[in-house]
Amino acid sequence: MERLSELIARVAQPGRVDWLGVRPVRKGAVRVVEAAELGLRGLEGDHGTSEKRALTLVQAEHLAVIGAYLGCGPVAAEDLRRNVVVSGINLLSLRGRVVEIGGAVVEVTGPCAPCSRMEAAFGHGGYAAVRGHGGVTARVLEVGRIALGDVVRPRD
């Protein structure tokens, strides 16, 4: 019988970078990019926040969930104001783990809670729709380039 720690550490498959965005100024519009260098304080061209929250990631699969809670189709990635949209891997299962994303290495530090801007972006109930589906934050351990199509996998 397998131990619970082994099951928790396992992922079904690696993920993939589907979308990248940077916010050049705080509260400014998100600019979609095909690739960017990831430094210790975030993606090149992004205003950044802190080393613990240098990068924000959300699962592509959750865009449709948020939209369903709002009574519409999938929401646009740029409306969530995250840096990276990843598909194919459960980001919440990576909390506290070291993860390779393209040429960079990050540690997933925790959930990325929604902010009050979600009401402005999605209307009444926007904040509630994003709760539990806002993705994760990460701190950078090794700087490097991230591009569309890059593999996302835990480093164990």
PDB file of all heavy atoms in Angstrom, residues 2-3 15 17-18 21 25 37-38 60 63 81-82 84 106 108 110 114 116-117 127 129 135 142 152:
ATOM      1  N   GLU A   2       0.520   2.208  -0.821  1.00  0.00           N
ATOM      2  CA  GLU A   2       1.298   3.437  -0.920  1.00  0.00           C
ATOM      3  C   GLU A   2       1.013   4.353   0.267  1.00  0.00           C
ATOM      4  O   GLU A   2      -0.112   4.419   0.758  1.00  0.00           O
ATOM      5  CB  GLU A   2       0.960   4.164  -2.229  1.00  0.00           C
ATOM      6  CG  GLU A   2       1.372   3.370  -3.443  1.00  0.00           C
ATOM      7  CD  GLU A   2       1.000   4.077  -4.719  1.00  0.00           C
ATOM      8  OE1 GLU A   2      -0.171   3.966  -5.106  1.00  0.00           O
ATOM      9  OE2 GLU A   2       1.882   4.737  -5.289  1.00  0.00           O
ATOM     10  N   ARG A   3       2.050   5.078   0.661  1.00  0.00           N
ATOM     11  CA  ARG A   3       1.887   6.029   1.752  1.00  0.00           C
ATOM     12  C   ARG A   3       1.215   7.298   1.228  1.00  0.00           C
ATOM     13  O   ARG A   3       1.353   7.656   0.062  1.00  0.00           O
ATOM     14  CB  ARG A   3       3.249   6.358   2.349  1.00  0.00           C
ATOM     15  CG  ARG A   3       3.862   5.137   3.003  1.00  0.00           C
ATOM     16  CD  ARG A   3       5.119   5.402   3.795  1.00  0.00           C
ATOM     17  NE  ARG A   3       5.761   6.656   3.561  1.00  0.00           N
ATOM     18  CZ  ARG A   3       7.065   6.798   3.382  1.00  0.00           C
ATOM     19  NH1 ARG A   3       7.854   5.752   3.395  1.00  0.00           N
ATOM     20  NH2 ARG A   3       7.599   7.983   3.199  1.00  0.00           N
ATOM     21  N   GLY A  15       2.264  20.266 -16.362  1.00  0.00           N
ATOM     22  CA  GLY A  15       1.408  21.305 -16.908  1.00  0.00           C
ATOM     23  C   GLY A  15       2.083  22.036 -18.050  1.00  0.00           C
ATOM     24  O   GLY A  15       3.206  21.696 -18.461  1.00  0.00           O
ATOM     25  N   VAL A  17       2.416  26.189 -19.905  1.00  0.00           N
ATOM     26  CA  VAL A  17       2.125  27.623 -19.882  1.00  0.00           C
ATOM     27  C   VAL A  17       1.271  27.957 -21.101  1.00  0.00           C
ATOM     28  O   VAL A  17       1.686  27.761 -22.235  1.00  0.00           O
ATOM     29  CB  VAL A  17       3.426  28.465 -19.885  1.00  0.00           C
ATOM     30  CG1 VAL A  17       3.106  29.947 -20.013  1.00  0.00           C
ATOM     31  CG2 VAL A  17       4.252  28.176 -18.642  1.00  0.00           C
ATOM     32  N   ASP A  18       0.049  28.464 -20.845  1.00  0.00           N
ATOM     33  CA  ASP A  18      -0.886  28.805 -21.919  1.00  0.00           C
ATOM     34  C   ASP A  18      -0.985  30.303 -22.193  1.00  0.00           C
ATOM     35  O   ASP A  18      -1.465  30.706 -23.253  1.00  0.00           O
ATOM     36  CB  ASP A  18      -2.294  28.323 -21.568  1.00  0.00           C
ATOM     37  CG  ASP A  18      -2.433  26.821 -21.658  1.00  0.00           C
ATOM     38  OD1 ASP A  18      -1.554  26.157 -22.223  1.00  0.00           O
ATOM     39  OD2 ASP A  18      -3.441  26.304 -21.132  1.00  0.00           O
ATOM     40  N   GLY A  21       1.109  37.349 -18.847  1.00  0.00           N
ATOM     41  CA  GLY A  21       0.736  38.758 -18.816  1.00  0.00           C
ATOM     42  C   GLY A  21       1.544  39.528 -17.785  1.00  0.00           C
ATOM     43  O   GLY A  21       1.932  38.982 -16.753  1.00  0.00           O
ATOM     44  N   VAL A  25       2.240  48.905 -14.575  1.00  0.00           N
ATOM     45  CA  VAL A  25       2.028  49.793 -13.430  1.00  0.00           C
ATOM     46  C   VAL A  25       0.934  49.199 -12.557  1.00  0.00           C
ATOM     47  O   VAL A  25       0.031  48.511 -13.036  1.00  0.00           O
ATOM     48  CB  VAL A  25       1.642  51.233 -13.853  1.00  0.00           C
ATOM     49  CG1 VAL A  25       2.773  51.909 -14.601  1.00  0.00           C
ATOM     50  CG2 VAL A  25       0.379  51.248 -14.676  1.00  0.00           C
ATOM     51  N   GLU A  37      11.464  37.310 -19.120  1.00  0.00           N
ATOM     52  CA  GLU A  37      12.455  36.886 -18.138  1.00  0.00           C
ATOM     53  C   GLU A  37      11.840  37.001 -16.756  1.00  0.00           C
ATOM     54  O   GLU A  37      11.192  37.997 -16.441  1.00  0.00           O
ATOM     55  CB  GLU A  37      13.709  37.758 -18.225  1.00  0.00           C
ATOM     56  CG  GLU A  37      14.509  37.564 -19.495  1.00  0.00           C
ATOM     57  CD  GLU A  37      15.122  36.179 -19.619  1.00  0.00           C
ATOM     58  OE1 GLU A  37      15.551  35.607 -18.588  1.00  0.00           O
ATOM     59  OE2 GLU A  37      15.164  35.659 -20.749  1.00  0.00           O
ATOM     60  N   LEU A  38      12.046  35.979 -15.935  1.00  0.00           N
ATOM     61  CA  LEU A  38      11.574  36.002 -14.567  1.00  0.00           C
ATOM     62  C   LEU A  38      12.749  36.317 -13.659  1.00  0.00           C
ATOM     63  O   LEU A  38      13.708  35.546 -13.596  1.00  0.00           O
ATOM     64  CB  LEU A  38      10.941  34.661 -14.183  1.00  0.00           C
ATOM     65  CG  LEU A  38      10.415  34.558 -12.756  1.00  0.00           C
ATOM     66  CD1 LEU A  38       9.300  35.572 -12.520  1.00  0.00           C
ATOM     67  CD2 LEU A  38       9.937  33.148 -12.461  1.00  0.00           C
ATOM     68  N   ALA A  60      -5.821  27.303 -16.144  1.00  0.00           N
ATOM     69  CA  ALA A  60      -6.708  27.590 -17.278  1.00  0.00           C
ATOM     70  C   ALA A  60      -8.085  26.988 -17.042  1.00  0.00           C
ATOM     71  O   ALA A  60      -9.101  27.592 -17.390  1.00  0.00           O
ATOM     72  CB  ALA A  60      -6.097  27.036 -18.565  1.00  0.00           C
ATOM     73  N   LEU A  63     -10.755  29.208 -15.381  1.00  0.00           N
ATOM     74  CA  LEU A  63     -11.372  30.343 -16.087  1.00  0.00           C
ATOM     75  C   LEU A  63     -12.831  30.033 -16.413  1.00  0.00           C
ATOM     76  O   LEU A  63     -13.706  30.894 -16.292  1.00  0.00           O
ATOM     77  CB  LEU A  63     -10.588  30.684 -17.349  1.00  0.00           C
ATOM     78  CG  LEU A  63      -9.120  31.067 -17.135  1.00  0.00           C
ATOM     79  CD1 LEU A  63      -8.436  31.317 -18.473  1.00  0.00           C
ATOM     80  CD2 LEU A  63      -8.964  32.243 -16.205  1.00  0.00           C
ATOM     81  N   ARG A  81      -5.820  39.285 -13.694  1.00  0.00           N
ATOM     82  CA  ARG A  81      -4.619  40.036 -13.324  1.00  0.00           C
ATOM     83  C   ARG A  81      -3.500  39.141 -12.790  1.00  0.00           C
ATOM     84  O   ARG A  81      -2.666  39.566 -12.012  1.00  0.00           O
ATOM     85  CB  ARG A  81      -4.966  41.158 -12.355  1.00  0.00           C
ATOM     86  CG  ARG A  81      -6.124  42.037 -12.851  1.00  0.00           C
ATOM     87  CD  ARG A  81      -6.350  43.251 -12.047  1.00  0.00           C
ATOM     88  NE  ARG A  81      -5.196  44.140 -12.003  1.00  0.00           N
ATOM     89  CZ  ARG A  81      -4.740  44.886 -13.014  1.00  0.00           C
ATOM     90  NH1 ARG A  81      -5.348  44.848 -14.182  1.00  0.00           N
ATOM     91  NH2 ARG A  81      -3.707  45.668 -12.857  1.00  0.00           N
ATOM     92  N   ARG A  82      -3.477  37.886 -13.195  1.00  0.00           N
ATOM     93  CA  ARG A  82      -2.389  36.989 -12.833  1.00  0.00           C
ATOM     94  C   ARG A  82      -1.321  37.063 -13.917  1.00  0.00           C
ATOM     95  O   ARG A  82      -1.565  37.550 -15.015  1.00  0.00           O
ATOM     96  CB  ARG A  82      -2.881  35.552 -12.667  1.00  0.00           C
ATOM     97  CG  ARG A  82      -4.019  35.373 -11.669  1.00  0.00           C
ATOM     98  CD  ARG A  82      -3.630  35.798 -10.261  1.00  0.00           C
ATOM     99  NE  ARG A  82      -4.691  35.530  -9.309  1.00  0.00           N
ATOM    100  CZ  ARG A  82      -5.442  36.473  -8.746  1.00  0.00           C
ATOM    101  NH1 ARG A  82      -5.250  37.741  -9.037  1.00  0.00           N
ATOM    102  NH2 ARG A  82      -6.379  36.147  -7.889  1.00  0.00           N
ATOM    103  N   VAL A  84       0.607  34.199 -15.044  1.00  0.00           N
ATOM    104  CA  VAL A  84       0.755  32.986 -15.839  1.00  0.00           C
ATOM    105  C   VAL A  84      -0.522  32.150 -15.741  1.00  0.00           C
ATOM    106  O   VAL A  84      -1.028  31.921 -14.646  1.00  0.00           O
ATOM    107  CB  VAL A  84       1.955  32.135 -15.341  1.00  0.00           C
ATOM    108  CG1 VAL A  84       2.170  30.927 -16.230  1.00  0.00           C
ATOM    109  CG2 VAL A  84       3.227  32.972 -15.249  1.00  0.00           C
ATOM    110  N   VAL A 106      10.588  28.119  -9.194  1.00  0.00           N
ATOM    111  CA  VAL A 106       9.867  28.880  -8.181  1.00  0.00           C
ATOM    112  C   VAL A 106       9.435  27.948  -7.057  1.00  0.00           C
ATOM    113  O   VAL A 106       9.429  26.721  -7.212  1.00  0.00           O
ATOM    114  CB  VAL A 106       8.627  29.600  -8.766  1.00  0.00           C
ATOM    115  CG1 VAL A 106       9.031  30.537  -9.899  1.00  0.00           C
ATOM    116  CG2 VAL A 106       7.574  28.608  -9.239  1.00  0.00           C
ATOM    117  N   VAL A 108       6.019  27.477  -4.798  1.00  0.00           N
ATOM    118  CA  VAL A 108       4.624  27.901  -4.651  1.00  0.00           C
ATOM    119  C   VAL A 108       4.399  28.216  -3.175  1.00  0.00           C
ATOM    120  O   VAL A 108       4.563  27.354  -2.323  1.00  0.00           O
ATOM    121  CB  VAL A 108       3.652  26.833  -5.171  1.00  0.00           C
ATOM    122  CG1 VAL A 108       2.210  27.248  -4.926  1.00  0.00           C
ATOM    123  CG2 VAL A 108       3.890  26.580  -6.660  1.00  0.00           C
ATOM    124  N   GLY A 110       1.527  29.889  -1.754  1.00  0.00           N
ATOM    125  CA  GLY A 110       0.177  29.822  -1.217  1.00  0.00           C
ATOM    126  C   GLY A 110      -0.864  30.275  -2.200  1.00  0.00           C
ATOM    127  O   GLY A 110      -0.560  30.606  -3.352  1.00  0.00           O
ATOM    128  N   PRO A 114      -8.551  36.653  -4.235  1.00  0.00           N
ATOM    129  CA  PRO A 114      -9.044  37.733  -5.099  1.00  0.00           C
ATOM    130  C   PRO A 114      -8.955  39.081  -4.385  1.00  0.00           C
ATOM    131  O   PRO A 114      -8.909  39.143  -3.158  1.00  0.00           O
ATOM    132  CB  PRO A 114     -10.496  37.340  -5.362  1.00  0.00           C
ATOM    133  CG  PRO A 114     -10.873  36.465  -4.221  1.00  0.00           C
ATOM    134  CD  PRO A 114      -9.616  35.763  -3.785  1.00  0.00           C
ATOM    135  N   SER A 116     -10.513  43.310  -4.456  1.00  0.00           N
ATOM    136  CA  SER A 116     -11.771  44.010  -4.729  1.00  0.00           C
ATOM    137  C   SER A 116     -11.920  44.384  -6.198  1.00  0.00           C
ATOM    138  O   SER A 116     -13.030  44.647  -6.664  1.00  0.00           O
ATOM    139  CB  SER A 116     -11.871  45.260  -3.862  1.00  0.00           C
ATOM    140  OG  SER A 116     -10.810  46.145  -4.161  1.00  0.00           O
ATOM    141  N   ARG A 117     -10.831  44.365  -6.949  1.00  0.00           N
ATOM    142  CA  ARG A 117     -10.904  44.673  -8.389  1.00  0.00           C
ATOM    143  C   ARG A 117     -11.726  43.646  -9.160  1.00  0.00           C
ATOM    144  O   ARG A 117     -12.155  43.900 -10.278  1.00  0.00           O
ATOM    145  CB  ARG A 117      -9.499  44.775  -8.967  1.00  0.00           C
ATOM    146  CG  ARG A 117      -8.732  45.903  -8.266  1.00  0.00           C
ATOM    147  CD  ARG A 117      -7.717  46.524  -9.072  1.00  0.00           C
ATOM    148  NE  ARG A 117      -8.245  46.873 -10.380  1.00  0.00           N
ATOM    149  CZ  ARG A 117      -7.543  47.433 -11.318  1.00  0.00           C
ATOM    150  NH1 ARG A 117      -6.311  47.729 -11.108  1.00  0.00           N
ATOM    151  NH2 ARG A 117      -8.061  47.718 -12.482  1.00  0.00           N
ATOM    152  N   TYR A 127     -16.031  39.014  -6.905  1.00  0.00           N
ATOM    153  CA  TYR A 127     -15.114  38.614  -5.839  1.00  0.00           C
ATOM    154  C   TYR A 127     -15.437  37.189  -5.377  1.00  0.00           C
ATOM    155  O   TYR A 127     -14.556  36.341  -5.271  1.00  0.00           O
ATOM    156  CB  TYR A 127     -15.204  39.600  -4.665  1.00  0.00           C
ATOM    157  CG  TYR A 127     -14.288  39.281  -3.516  1.00  0.00           C
ATOM    158  CD1 TYR A 127     -13.002  39.790  -3.475  1.00  0.00           C
ATOM    159  CD2 TYR A 127     -14.705  38.457  -2.473  1.00  0.00           C
ATOM    160  CE1 TYR A 127     -12.147  39.499  -2.420  1.00  0.00           C
ATOM    161  CE2 TYR A 127     -13.858  38.156  -1.420  1.00  0.00           C
ATOM    162  CZ  TYR A 127     -12.588  38.674  -1.396  1.00  0.00           C
ATOM    163  OH  TYR A 127     -11.740  38.375  -0.357  1.00  0.00           O
ATOM    164  N   ALA A 129     -17.013  34.837  -6.968  1.00  0.00           N
ATOM    165  CA  ALA A 129     -16.791  33.862  -8.034  1.00  0.00           C
ATOM    166  C   ALA A 129     -15.329  33.425  -8.111  1.00  0.00           C
ATOM    167  O   ALA A 129     -15.040  32.272  -8.446  1.00  0.00           O
ATOM    168  CB  ALA A 129     -17.234  34.439  -9.374  1.00  0.00           C
ATOM    169  N   GLY A 135      -5.941  31.040  -8.074  1.00  0.00           N
ATOM    170  CA  GLY A 135      -4.597  30.592  -8.378  1.00  0.00           C
ATOM    171  C   GLY A 135      -3.679  30.606  -7.178  1.00  0.00           C
ATOM    172  O   GLY A 135      -4.125  30.525  -6.030  1.00  0.00           O
ATOM    173  N   GLU A 142      15.198  30.439  -8.834  1.00  0.00           N
ATOM    174  CA  GLU A 142      16.184  30.550  -9.913  1.00  0.00           C
ATOM    175  C   GLU A 142      15.555  31.357 -11.041  1.00  0.00           C
ATOM    176  O   GLU A 142      14.492  31.003 -11.538  1.00  0.00           O
ATOM    177  CB  GLU A 142      16.591  29.173 -10.439  1.00  0.00           C
ATOM    178  CG  GLU A 142      17.320  28.317  -9.431  1.00  0.00           C
ATOM    179  CD  GLU A 142      17.653  26.925  -9.966  1.00  0.00           C
ATOM    180  OE1 GLU A 142      17.724  26.748 -11.206  1.00  0.00           O
ATOM    181  OE2 GLU A 142      17.826  26.020  -9.139  1.00  0.00           O
ATOM    182  N   VAL A 152       5.503  22.892 -17.040  1.00  0.00           N
ATOM    183  CA  VAL A 152       5.409  23.218 -15.616  1.00  0.00           C
ATOM    184  C   VAL A 152       5.392  21.897 -14.871  1.00  0.00           C
ATOM    185  O   VAL A 152       4.499  21.081 -15.087  1.00  0.00           O
ATOM    186  CB  VAL A 152       4.126  24.020 -15.308  1.00  0.00           C
ATOM    187  CG1 VAL A 152       4.023  24.313 -13.821  1.00  0.00           C
ATOM    188  CG2 VAL A 152       4.085  25.301 -16.133  1.00  0.00           C
TER     189      VAL A 152
END
